[in-house]
Amino acid sequence: MTLSQDQLVEFGQQYLYPNYRQPSIVLSHGKGVEIWDKAGKRYLDFMAGIAVNALGHAHPSWVRAVSEQAATLAHVSNYFYNEPNVLLAHKLCELTGMARAFFCNSGAEAIEACLKLARRHFFNQAQVERHRLIAFKQSFHGRTMGALAATGQAAYRDGFGPLGSVTHVPYGDVEGVRAALSPEVAAIVVEPLQGEGGVVPAPEGFLAALRELADRSGALLVLDEIQTGIGRTGQFLAVQHAGVQPDVVALAKGLGGGIPIGAMLCRRELEGVLPPGSHGSTFGGNPLASAAALATLQVIEQEGLTAKAFKLGEQLQGELEAIVARHSKVAKAARGAGLLRALVLQESVDTRLLLSKLRDRGLLLTVAGGVALRFSPPLIVSEAQITEAVGIVDAVCGELQ
Ligand SMILES: *Cc1c(COP(=O)(O)O)cnc(C)c1O
Protein backbone atom coordinates (compact mmCIF):
# COMPACT_ATOMS: atom_id res chain seq x y z
CA MET A 1 0.00 0.00 0.00
CA THR A 2 1.61 3.27 -1.08
CA LEU A 3 -0.09 6.37 0.20
CA SER A 4 0.49 10.01 -0.64
CA GLN A 5 1.71 12.46 1.97
CA ASP A 6 -1.80 13.87 2.38
CA GLN A 7 -3.32 10.40 2.81
CA LEU A 8 -0.69 9.49 5.42
CA VAL A 9 -1.37 12.72 7.33
CA GLU A 10 -5.06 11.80 7.31
CA PHE A 11 -4.29 8.36 8.77
CA GLY A 12 -2.09 9.97 11.40
CA GLN A 13 -4.82 12.38 12.37
CA GLN A 14 -7.34 9.57 12.56
CA TYR A 15 -5.38 6.79 14.30
CA LEU A 16 -2.48 8.22 16.29
CA TYR A 17 -3.18 9.19 19.86
CA PRO A 18 -3.48 12.99 19.59
CA ASN A 19 -0.98 13.94 22.32
CA TYR A 20 1.28 15.75 19.80
CA ARG A 21 0.65 18.73 17.57
CA GLN A 22 2.16 17.63 14.25
CA PRO A 23 2.24 19.71 11.06
CA SER A 24 0.79 18.21 7.87
CA ILE A 25 3.99 16.72 6.47
CA VAL A 26 5.50 13.24 6.68
CA LEU A 27 9.29 13.04 6.83
CA SER A 28 10.63 10.29 4.63
CA HIS A 29 14.43 10.26 4.30
CA GLY A 30 17.53 12.20 5.26
CA LYS A 31 21.20 12.60 4.49
CA GLY A 32 23.50 14.49 6.81
CA VAL A 33 21.80 17.71 7.91
CA GLU A 34 19.20 17.53 5.12
CA ILE A 35 15.84 15.80 5.37
CA TRP A 36 12.99 15.40 2.86
CA ASP A 37 9.25 14.98 3.24
CA LYS A 38 7.05 12.59 1.22
CA ALA A 39 6.16 15.39 -1.18
CA GLY A 40 9.85 15.86 -2.02
CA LYS A 41 10.40 19.14 -0.14
CA ARG A 42 13.90 19.56 1.36
CA TYR A 43 14.59 20.94 4.84
CA LEU A 44 17.70 21.79 6.83
CA ASP A 45 17.27 19.79 10.03
CA PHE A 46 18.47 22.05 12.83
CA MET A 47 16.48 20.24 15.51
CA ALA A 48 18.03 16.81 14.79
CA GLY A 49 15.15 14.95 16.41
CA ILE A 50 15.63 17.09 19.57
CA ALA A 51 19.43 16.81 19.81
CA VAL A 52 19.34 13.08 19.00
CA ASN A 53 20.80 12.72 15.50
CA ALA A 54 24.33 13.72 16.52
CA LEU A 55 25.77 12.39 13.24
CA GLY A 56 22.89 13.70 11.14
CA HIS A 57 20.86 11.28 9.04
CA ALA A 58 22.23 8.07 7.54
CA HIS A 59 25.89 8.63 8.41
CA PRO A 60 27.70 5.83 6.50
CA SER A 61 29.75 4.54 9.48
CA TRP A 62 26.67 4.49 11.73
CA VAL A 63 24.54 2.80 9.04
CA ARG A 64 27.23 0.16 8.54
CA ALA A 65 27.56 -0.54 12.28
CA VAL A 66 23.79 -0.77 12.82
CA SER A 67 23.19 -2.90 9.71
CA GLU A 68 25.98 -5.32 10.53
CA GLN A 69 24.84 -5.64 14.13
CA ALA A 70 21.20 -6.19 13.05
CA ALA A 71 22.42 -8.95 10.75
CA THR A 72 24.48 -10.50 13.57
CA LEU A 73 22.64 -10.19 16.89
CA ALA A 74 20.02 -7.60 17.81
CA HIS A 75 18.78 -8.65 21.25
CA VAL A 76 19.73 -11.13 23.94
CA SER A 77 18.46 -9.64 27.25
CA ASN A 78 20.69 -9.01 30.24
CA TYR A 79 20.89 -12.66 31.17
CA PHE A 80 24.12 -12.49 29.14
CA TYR A 81 26.96 -10.13 28.28
CA ASN A 82 27.16 -8.87 24.71
CA GLU A 83 30.24 -7.43 23.06
CA PRO A 84 29.07 -3.95 21.91
CA ASN A 85 27.50 -3.33 25.33
CA VAL A 86 30.66 -4.18 27.27
CA LEU A 87 32.77 -2.03 24.94
CA LEU A 88 30.28 0.84 25.25
CA ALA A 89 30.36 0.74 29.05
CA HIS A 90 34.17 0.89 28.95
CA LYS A 91 34.15 3.81 26.48
CA LEU A 92 31.61 5.85 28.47
CA CYS A 93 33.48 5.37 31.74
CA GLU A 94 36.69 6.46 30.01
CA LEU A 95 35.04 9.60 28.59
CA THR A 96 33.40 10.66 31.85
CA GLY A 97 35.69 9.49 34.64
CA MET A 98 32.87 7.35 36.05
CA ALA A 99 33.22 3.72 37.11
CA ARG A 100 30.03 1.91 36.10
CA ALA A 101 27.33 2.13 33.41
CA PHE A 102 23.71 0.92 33.54
CA PHE A 103 21.80 0.91 30.25
CA CYS A 104 18.16 1.60 29.48
CA ASN A 105 16.16 2.94 26.54
CA SER A 106 15.34 6.59 27.09
CA GLY A 107 16.13 9.71 29.03
CA ALA A 108 13.30 9.28 31.51
CA GLU A 109 14.49 5.75 32.25
CA ALA A 110 18.03 7.00 32.82
CA ILE A 111 16.67 9.50 35.35
CA GLU A 112 14.59 6.79 37.02
CA ALA A 113 17.77 4.75 37.45
CA CYS A 114 19.52 7.78 39.02
CA LEU A 115 16.64 8.38 41.44
CA LYS A 116 16.33 4.72 42.41
CA LEU A 117 20.11 4.57 42.95
CA ALA A 118 19.95 7.61 45.25
CA ARG A 119 17.07 6.23 47.32
CA ARG A 120 18.52 2.74 47.59
CA HIS A 121 21.93 4.16 48.54
CA PHE A 122 20.52 5.67 51.71
CA PHE A 123 18.13 2.76 52.35
CA ASN A 124 21.18 0.46 52.35
CA GLN A 125 22.69 2.71 55.02
CA ALA A 126 19.51 2.49 57.12
CA GLN A 127 18.67 6.14 56.38
CA VAL A 128 15.17 5.57 55.02
CA GLU A 129 14.15 9.12 55.91
CA ARG A 130 16.66 10.35 53.36
CA HIS A 131 14.31 10.13 50.33
CA ARG A 132 13.68 13.74 49.23
CA LEU A 133 15.10 15.46 46.15
CA ILE A 134 16.13 18.97 45.34
CA ALA A 135 15.50 19.89 41.71
CA PHE A 136 14.99 23.18 39.88
CA LYS A 137 12.19 25.34 38.56
CA GLN A 138 11.85 25.17 34.76
CA SER A 139 13.79 21.90 34.72
CA PHE A 140 12.89 18.94 32.51
CA HIS A 141 13.82 15.39 33.46
CA GLY A 142 11.25 13.28 31.60
CA ARG A 143 7.66 12.11 31.82
CA THR A 144 7.60 8.91 33.89
CA MET A 145 6.27 9.42 37.42
CA GLY A 146 9.68 9.69 39.11
CA ALA A 147 11.27 11.85 36.42
CA LEU A 148 8.10 13.95 36.33
CA ALA A 149 8.32 14.54 40.07
CA ALA A 150 11.78 16.03 39.51
CA THR A 151 10.59 18.10 36.54
CA GLY A 152 9.90 21.69 37.58
CA GLN A 153 7.32 22.82 35.03
CA ALA A 154 3.57 22.91 35.63
CA ALA A 155 2.79 22.25 31.95
CA TYR A 156 4.20 18.72 32.25
CA ARG A 157 3.06 18.04 35.84
CA ASP A 158 -0.51 19.32 35.92
CA GLY A 159 -3.08 16.61 36.42
CA PHE A 160 -0.65 13.80 37.23
CA GLY A 161 -0.22 14.24 40.97
CA PRO A 162 0.39 13.40 43.66
CA LEU A 163 4.07 13.25 42.71
CA GLY A 164 7.07 12.38 44.89
CA SER A 165 8.69 14.64 47.45
CA VAL A 166 10.80 17.19 45.59
CA THR A 167 11.69 20.76 46.49
CA HIS A 168 12.03 22.97 43.40
CA VAL A 169 14.48 25.84 43.81
CA PRO A 170 15.02 28.63 41.24
CA TYR A 171 17.77 27.63 38.78
CA GLY A 172 21.05 29.24 39.82
CA ASP A 173 19.91 30.01 43.38
CA VAL A 174 22.71 28.64 45.59
CA GLU A 175 21.20 30.09 48.78
CA GLY A 176 17.87 28.48 47.91
CA VAL A 177 19.57 25.09 47.67
CA ARG A 178 21.38 25.66 50.96
CA ALA A 179 18.06 26.47 52.62
CA ALA A 180 16.32 23.44 51.08
CA LEU A 181 19.02 20.97 52.11
CA SER A 182 18.14 18.82 55.10
CA PRO A 183 19.01 15.35 56.42
CA GLU A 184 16.06 14.13 54.33
CA VAL A 185 17.59 15.08 50.97
CA ALA A 186 19.02 12.12 49.04
CA ALA A 187 20.05 13.96 45.88
CA ILE A 188 20.30 17.24 44.01
CA VAL A 189 19.21 16.71 40.40
CA VAL A 190 20.35 19.35 37.92
CA GLU A 191 20.83 20.05 34.20
CA PRO A 192 24.12 21.84 33.43
CA LEU A 193 22.10 23.90 30.96
CA GLN A 194 18.31 23.80 31.00
CA GLY A 195 17.31 22.57 27.54
CA GLU A 196 13.51 22.29 27.52
CA GLY A 197 13.35 25.15 30.03
CA GLY A 198 14.58 27.54 27.31
CA VAL A 199 18.29 26.81 26.68
CA VAL A 200 19.40 28.49 29.93
CA PRO A 201 23.06 27.91 30.84
CA ALA A 202 23.95 27.44 34.52
CA PRO A 203 25.30 30.67 36.02
CA GLU A 204 29.08 30.81 36.56
CA GLY A 205 30.08 28.84 39.66
CA PHE A 206 26.64 27.29 40.17
CA LEU A 207 27.58 23.64 39.50
CA ALA A 208 30.73 23.91 41.65
CA ALA A 209 28.62 25.37 44.47
CA LEU A 210 26.16 22.45 44.17
CA ARG A 211 29.08 20.02 44.36
CA GLU A 212 30.24 21.64 47.56
CA LEU A 213 26.77 21.72 49.12
CA ALA A 214 26.15 18.07 48.19
CA ASP A 215 29.49 17.05 49.73
CA ARG A 216 28.75 18.95 52.92
CA SER A 217 25.26 17.47 53.37
CA GLY A 218 26.06 13.95 52.14
CA ALA A 219 23.48 14.17 49.30
CA LEU A 220 24.34 12.83 45.84
CA LEU A 221 24.87 15.20 42.92
CA VAL A 222 22.98 13.88 39.88
CA LEU A 223 23.68 15.55 36.53
CA ASP A 224 21.03 15.28 33.83
CA GLU A 225 23.16 15.41 30.66
CA ILE A 226 20.51 13.83 28.47
CA GLN A 227 20.34 16.85 26.16
CA THR A 228 23.73 18.44 26.84
CA GLY A 229 25.96 15.35 26.77
CA ILE A 230 27.72 13.48 23.93
CA GLY A 231 29.86 16.45 22.92
CA ARG A 232 27.07 18.86 22.10
CA THR A 233 28.32 21.78 24.18
CA GLY A 234 32.00 21.39 23.30
CA GLN A 235 32.92 18.93 26.07
CA PHE A 236 31.76 15.32 26.25
CA LEU A 237 29.65 16.32 29.28
CA ALA A 238 28.62 19.95 29.73
CA VAL A 239 29.52 19.71 33.44
CA GLN A 240 33.15 19.20 32.38
CA HIS A 241 33.30 22.91 31.41
CA ALA A 242 32.86 23.61 35.14
CA GLY A 243 35.48 21.04 36.19
CA VAL A 244 32.94 19.34 38.45
CA GLN A 245 32.75 15.56 38.94
CA PRO A 246 29.16 14.43 39.59
CA ASP A 247 28.22 11.29 41.55
CA VAL A 248 25.70 10.14 38.95
CA VAL A 249 25.08 11.11 35.31
CA ALA A 250 22.09 10.48 33.04
CA LEU A 251 22.63 10.22 29.28
CA ALA A 252 20.30 9.48 26.36
CA LYS A 253 19.26 11.52 23.28
CA GLY A 254 22.47 11.85 21.22
CA LEU A 255 24.04 8.69 22.65
CA GLY A 256 22.58 6.29 20.06
CA GLY A 257 22.70 8.72 17.15
CA GLY A 258 19.02 7.98 16.51
CA ILE A 259 18.50 4.54 18.04
CA PRO A 260 16.90 4.60 21.51
CA ILE A 261 19.38 4.11 24.35
CA GLY A 262 19.88 5.72 27.75
CA ALA A 263 22.54 5.31 30.40
CA MET A 264 23.09 5.94 34.09
CA LEU A 265 26.78 6.32 35.01
CA CYS A 266 28.01 6.37 38.58
CA ARG A 267 31.12 6.62 40.71
CA ARG A 268 32.97 3.67 42.17
CA GLU A 269 31.49 4.25 45.68
CA LEU A 270 27.99 3.59 44.31
CA GLU A 271 28.68 0.33 42.46
CA GLY A 272 27.20 -1.87 45.21
CA VAL A 273 23.98 0.09 45.68
CA LEU A 274 21.73 -1.82 43.27
CA PRO A 275 22.40 -5.56 43.68
CA PRO A 276 21.19 -8.16 41.14
CA GLY A 277 17.39 -8.15 40.94
CA SER A 278 16.92 -4.64 42.34
CA HIS A 279 16.82 -2.85 38.99
CA GLY A 280 16.92 -3.78 35.32
CA SER A 281 15.58 -3.38 31.80
CA THR A 282 14.63 -6.00 29.22
CA PHE A 283 15.86 -4.02 26.21
CA GLY A 284 18.51 -2.00 28.05
CA GLY A 285 22.00 -2.27 26.56
CA ASN A 286 20.94 -4.58 23.73
CA PRO A 287 23.60 -5.24 21.04
CA LEU A 288 21.85 -3.18 18.37
CA ALA A 289 21.48 0.00 20.43
CA SER A 290 24.95 -0.47 21.92
CA ALA A 291 26.53 -0.83 18.46
CA ALA A 292 24.72 2.34 17.35
CA ALA A 293 26.09 4.21 20.38
CA LEU A 294 29.61 2.85 19.91
CA ALA A 295 29.58 3.94 16.26
CA THR A 296 28.29 7.37 17.27
CA LEU A 297 31.07 7.83 19.85
CA GLN A 298 33.70 6.57 17.38
CA VAL A 299 32.68 9.04 14.66
CA ILE A 300 32.53 11.89 17.20
CA GLU A 301 36.09 11.05 18.20
CA GLN A 302 37.45 10.44 14.68
CA GLU A 303 35.92 13.59 13.22
CA GLY A 304 36.72 15.75 16.25
CA LEU A 305 33.06 16.71 16.56
CA THR A 306 33.20 17.82 20.20
CA ALA A 307 35.82 20.52 19.55
CA LYS A 308 33.96 21.39 16.36
CA ALA A 309 30.71 21.82 18.31
CA PHE A 310 32.44 24.42 20.45
CA LYS A 311 33.88 26.31 17.48
CA LEU A 312 30.71 26.23 15.34
CA GLY A 313 28.72 27.19 18.43
CA GLU A 314 30.72 30.41 18.61
CA GLN A 315 29.93 31.10 14.94
CA LEU A 316 26.22 30.40 15.53
CA GLN A 317 26.18 32.67 18.59
CA GLY A 318 27.75 35.51 16.57
CA GLU A 319 25.27 35.13 13.72
CA LEU A 320 22.32 35.00 16.15
CA GLU A 321 23.53 38.14 17.90
CA ALA A 322 23.52 39.89 14.52
CA ILE A 323 19.84 38.91 14.15
CA VAL A 324 19.11 40.39 17.59
CA ALA A 325 20.78 43.64 16.49
CA ARG A 326 18.79 43.76 13.23
CA HIS A 327 15.37 42.58 14.45
CA SER A 328 15.04 43.76 18.04
CA LYS A 329 11.23 43.71 17.88
CA VAL A 330 11.37 39.94 17.32
CA ALA A 331 14.48 38.76 19.17
CA LYS A 332 16.10 40.02 22.35
CA ALA A 333 19.12 37.79 23.02
CA ALA A 334 21.16 34.77 21.93
CA ARG A 335 22.40 32.20 24.45
CA GLY A 336 23.50 28.62 24.97
CA ALA A 337 26.67 26.54 24.70
CA GLY A 338 28.30 24.83 21.74
CA LEU A 339 25.67 23.57 19.32
CA LEU A 340 22.82 23.95 21.80
CA ARG A 341 21.78 27.56 21.25
CA ALA A 342 18.72 29.74 21.27
CA LEU A 343 17.47 32.97 19.83
CA VAL A 344 15.41 34.37 22.69
CA LEU A 345 12.19 35.83 21.26
CA GLN A 346 10.17 38.81 22.38
CA GLU A 347 7.01 37.78 24.27
CA SER A 348 4.82 39.16 21.46
CA VAL A 349 6.10 36.63 18.89
CA ASP A 350 3.61 33.95 17.79
CA THR A 351 6.00 30.99 18.00
CA ARG A 352 3.74 28.57 16.14
CA LEU A 353 3.50 30.99 13.22
CA LEU A 354 7.27 31.51 13.33
CA LEU A 355 7.99 27.76 13.18
CA SER A 356 5.58 27.26 10.30
CA LYS A 357 7.14 30.14 8.32
CA LEU A 358 10.60 28.63 8.91
CA ARG A 359 9.32 25.25 7.76
CA ASP A 360 7.85 26.76 4.60
CA ARG A 361 11.30 28.14 3.81
CA GLY A 362 12.91 24.77 4.50
CA LEU A 363 14.21 24.95 8.07
CA LEU A 364 13.22 22.69 10.98
CA LEU A 365 13.60 24.18 14.47
CA THR A 366 11.88 23.88 17.85
CA VAL A 367 10.82 26.33 20.54
CA ALA A 368 11.86 25.55 24.12
CA GLY A 369 10.46 27.13 27.27
CA GLY A 370 7.93 29.12 25.24
CA VAL A 371 10.40 31.84 24.15
CA ALA A 372 13.62 30.22 22.97
CA LEU A 373 13.99 29.35 19.27
CA ARG A 374 16.28 26.36 19.81
CA PHE A 375 19.11 25.29 17.53
CA SER A 376 20.36 21.73 18.15
CA PRO A 377 21.76 20.71 14.74
CA PRO A 378 23.66 17.49 14.07
CA LEU A 379 27.27 17.84 15.25
CA ILE A 380 28.39 17.19 11.65
CA VAL A 381 26.82 20.49 10.51
CA SER A 382 29.04 22.76 8.38
CA GLU A 383 29.80 26.47 8.68
CA ALA A 384 27.95 27.06 5.41
CA GLN A 385 24.84 25.19 6.63
CA ILE A 386 24.78 27.32 9.79
CA THR A 387 24.94 30.46 7.70
CA GLU A 388 22.18 29.11 5.41
CA ALA A 389 19.92 28.30 8.39
CA VAL A 390 20.51 31.64 10.11
CA GLY A 391 19.80 33.35 6.77
CA ILE A 392 16.35 31.73 6.73
CA VAL A 393 15.71 32.81 10.34
CA ASP A 394 16.87 36.33 9.45
CA ALA A 395 14.44 36.50 6.51
CA VAL A 396 11.49 35.28 8.61
CA CYS A 397 12.36 37.70 11.46
CA GLY A 398 12.43 40.50 8.87
CA GLU A 399 8.94 39.44 7.75
CA LEU A 400 7.65 39.41 11.35
CA GLN A 401 9.36 42.70 12.28
C1 LIG B 1 14.70 14.80 26.67
C2 LIG B 1 15.12 14.94 28.07
C3 LIG B 1 14.72 14.01 29.05
C4 LIG B 1 13.76 12.88 28.76
O1 LIG B 1 14.20 12.03 27.76
P1 LIG B 1 13.17 10.98 27.09
O2 LIG B 1 14.05 10.15 26.21
O3 LIG B 1 12.17 11.80 26.31
O4 LIG B 1 12.54 10.20 28.16
C5 LIG B 1 15.19 14.19 30.33
N1 LIG B 1 16.03 15.19 30.65
C6 LIG B 1 16.45 16.08 29.73
C7 LIG B 1 17.37 17.17 30.13
C8 LIG B 1 15.99 16.00 28.42
O5 LIG B 1 16.36 16.92 27.52
Side-chain angles (χ1 to χ4, degrees):
M1 181 160 69
T2 42
L3 300 182
S4 72
Q5 172 157 283
D6 289 349
Q7 289 169 316
L8 286 166
V9 166
E10 217 167 280
F11 266 34
Q13 289 171 345
Q14 199 173 344
Y15 293 108
L16 285 174
Y17 196 88
N19 59 317
Y20 299 112
R21 194 183 285 112
Q22 291 154 317
S24 296
I25 57 172
V26 177
L27 295 176
S28 89
H29 61 285
K31 191 160 181 46
V33 181
E34 295 174 301
I35 193 165
W36 286 265
D37 68 19
K38 283 284 282 185
K41 184 174 164 64
R42 169 216 185 239
Y43 304 85
L44 273 178
D45 183 3
F46 267 57
M47 56 183 284
I50 322 181
V52 165
N53 302 297
L55 308 182
H57 301 285
H59 189 288
S61 309
W62 184 90
V63 169
R64 195 177 323 113
V66 171
S67 309
E68 282 175 7
Q69 193 59 52
T72 308
L73 190 67
H75 176 82
V76 292
S77 86
N78 291 293
Y79 278 90
F80 304 96
Y81 289 124
N82 74 76
E83 181 170 344
N85 191 234
V86 171
L87 296 179
L88 178 62
H90 173 241
K91 188 80 200 160
L92 285 174
C93 288
E94 217 174 54
L95 285 163
T96 60
M98 305 302 265
R100 295 280 182 173
F102 164 81
F103 291 100
C104 49
N105 314 287
S106 68
E109 284 181 52
I111 291 292
E112 292 294 331
C114 297
L115 303 187
K116 286 180 73 175
L117 181 86
R119 279 218 174 147
R120 187 68 177 244
H121 174 57
F122 291 108
F123 170 88
N124 292 348
Q125 298 177 13
Q127 291 183 257
V128 284
E129 73 290 351
R130 197 150 193 161
H131 63 89
R132 294 189 59 86
L133 301 175
I134 293 177
F136 296 90
K137 294 191 169 152
Q138 296 305 115
S139 63
F140 182 77
H141 299 293
R143 297 166 186 275
T144 54
M145 296 306 264
L148 188 58
T151 293
Q153 298 189 58
Y156 301 111
R157 298 168 61 91
D158 281 357
F160 299 116
L163 296 164
S165 27
V166 181
T167 307
H168 289 101
V169 174
Y171 192 60
D173 180 0
V174 176
E175 285 317 306
V177 174
R178 199 190 307 277
L181 272 170
S182 77
E184 292 190 344
V185 173
I188 303 171
V189 183
V190 66
E191 297 159 88
L193 173 157
Q194 288 189 328
E196 297 307 305
V199 189
V200 183
E204 189 76 35
F206 181 52
L207 299 171
L210 292 184
R211 177 72 274 176
E212 200 183 308
L213 287 172
D215 284 343
R216 212 175 308 153
S217 76
L220 299 180
L221 182 61
V222 176
L223 259 290
D224 181 344
E225 293 262 8
I226 290 165
Q227 190 159 155
T228 50
I230 325 296
R232 178 156 293 279
T233 70
Q235 290 280 355
F236 186 73
L237 300 177
V239 71
Q240 289 167 338
H241 290 288
V244 166
Q245 188 66 16
D247 299 304
V248 192
V249 175
L251 293 175
K253 291 206 163 89
L255 178 56
I259 290 227
I261 182 168
M264 177 277 282
L265 311 176
C266 72
R267 291 166 82 120
R268 177 73 59 206
E269 297 74 16
L270 298 167
E271 68 185 0
V273 170
L274 296 169
S278 62
H279 192 53
S281 163
T282 298
F283 292 120
N286 68 70
L288 186 69
S290 299
L294 261 185
T296 303
L297 297 179
Q298 259 157 22
V299 172
I300 286 174
E301 199 166 282
Q302 281 159 8
E303 299 186 11
L305 297 183
T306 301
K308 195 174 148 220
F310 186 83
K311 186 167 143 272
L312 292 189
E314 297 298 296
Q315 177 197 337
L316 180 55
Q317 177 73 19
E319 293 187 13
L320 293 179
E321 281 170 6
I323 289 190
V324 174
R326 271 199 298 279
H327 306 295
S328 59
K329 286 199 185 106
V330 178
K332 56 181 173 192
R335 69 185 176 211
L339 286 175
L340 186 51
R341 296 273 162 185
L343 185 67
V344 185
L345 305 167
Q346 299 288 2
E347 315 286 334
S348 58
V349 174
D350 178 343
T351 54
R352 216 167 300 158
L353 178 69
L354 172 65
L355 289 179
S356 103
K357 282 179 177 293
L358 291 169
R359 224 166 30 238
D360 289 346
R361 288 178 186 254
L363 177 62
L364 301 186
L365 283 175
T366 50
V367 167
V371 294
L373 185 64
R374 172 174 49 185
F375 295 71
S376 56
L379 305 182
I380 50 132
V381 70
S382 70
E383 288 172 37
Q385 285 166 326
I386 287 177
T387 301
E388 183 185 348
V390 174
I392 294 172
V393 175
D394 189 47
V396 171
C397 286
E399 223 177 278
L400 293 178
Q401 172 114 353

